[in-house]
Amino acid sequence: MHELSIAQNIVEIVTQTARAKQIKHINEIEVEIGILAGVMIESLEMGFEAARMGTVAENARLKIISVPGRAQCQ
C-alpha cells in the first residue's frame, strides 16, 4: 500500500512549508493525481487521516483533483 507513504510525504511537505512560513494551521490541502498514476484514492484518504494526526494539518481536508491521463504507447 504505497498510498500511505504518499500521504506521509504530502503531510511532510505541508509541515515543512508551514514551518517555513510560520503557519500554525492548515485547513485544506489540494493535490492533483493523474488517473493513470495507479493511486487508490480511498487508500490515500485513509492514509492521510492517519498521517495528519499531531501535525499542522491535523484538521485539514484533503481535496483530490483527478487529472486525465494520456497514454502514448508506440
Side-chain angles (χ1 to χ4, degrees):
M1 179 167 139
H2 72 285
E3 286 82 0
L4 177 57
S5 63
I6 293 170
Q8 290 170 328
N9 287 334
I10 290 169
V11 171
E12 183 178 330
I13 291 167
V14 167
T15 301
Q16 290 174 358
T17 303
R19 188 179 308 123
K21 296 184 180 217
Q22 299 179 344
I23 296 171
K24 303 224 184 278
H25 304 284
I26 304 294
N27 296 321
E28 182 176 80
I29 300 168
E30 183 176 299
V31 294
E32 293 182 353
I33 299 177
I35 60 172
L36 299 178
V39 174
M40 296 179 64
I41 300 301
E42 296 83 17
S43 296
L44 177 61
E45 291 171 335
M46 286 175 41
F48 177 74
E49 293 295 318
R52 71 183 180 162
M53 292 302 159
T55 72
V56 294
E58 187 166 26
N59 296 312
R61 173 182 172 266
L62 182 63
K63 181 179 178 183
I64 300 172
I65 299 171
S66 291
V67 179
R70 294 184 299 168
Q72 295 182 346
C73 299
Q74 294 186 6

